[in-house]
Amino acid sequence: APVRFDRDVLPVLRQHCFACHSGDAGQPKAGLRLDTAKSIRRRVEPGDPAASDLLDRACRGPNDPDRMPPDGPVPPLAAAERATLRRWVEQGAD
């Protein structure tokens, strides 16, 4: 089934990323905002999951210091959430 950004992807970003990477965070960590389409597009290569930084960071192993979100109050993405992001990128990240 097609992945819809508003229904499938946005809730994942909101739950796991917005605490540090949105306008609500004050000064977003690393200057990265994931609450605007423009900033998301800079981290995603439509149709190419392997070249998408957003997906790479979210899918790293639990001991990788560059995994997002890092250990802390926000839980890492579940396997199903990572799969949703991957399918969204594969389908063109619309």
Side-chain angles (χ1 to χ4, degrees):
V3 177
R4 287 186 26 206
F5 179 81
D6 59 336
R7 181 192 66 206
D8 304 311
V9 175
L10 184 57
V12 173
L13 297 178
R14 187 176 289 125
Q15 179 181 0
H16 298 281
C17 307
F18 281 16
C20 296
H21 298 290
S22 74
D24 292 341
Q27 180 63 32
K29 301 249 178 161
L32 173 63
R33 289 184 63 170
L34 294 175
D35 59 347
T36 69
K38 182 178 179 180
S39 62
I40 292 170
R41 286 188 185 110
R42 287 194 298 251
R43 301 294 181 178
V44 172
E45 188 64 39
D48 190 356
S52 297
D53 184 53
L54 176 71
L55 194 57
D56 174 54
R57 299 287 207 130
C59 293
R60 290 179 181 224
N63 296 323
D64 190 313
D66 292 326
R67 183 194 74 200
M68 290 292 139
D71 289 335
V74 178
L77 278 70
E81 292 168 323
R82 292 191 306 269
T84 295
L85 291 180
R86 179 174 299 284
R87 284 194 340 268
W88 174 65
V89 171
E90 287 171 344
Q91 294 172 8
D94 190 21

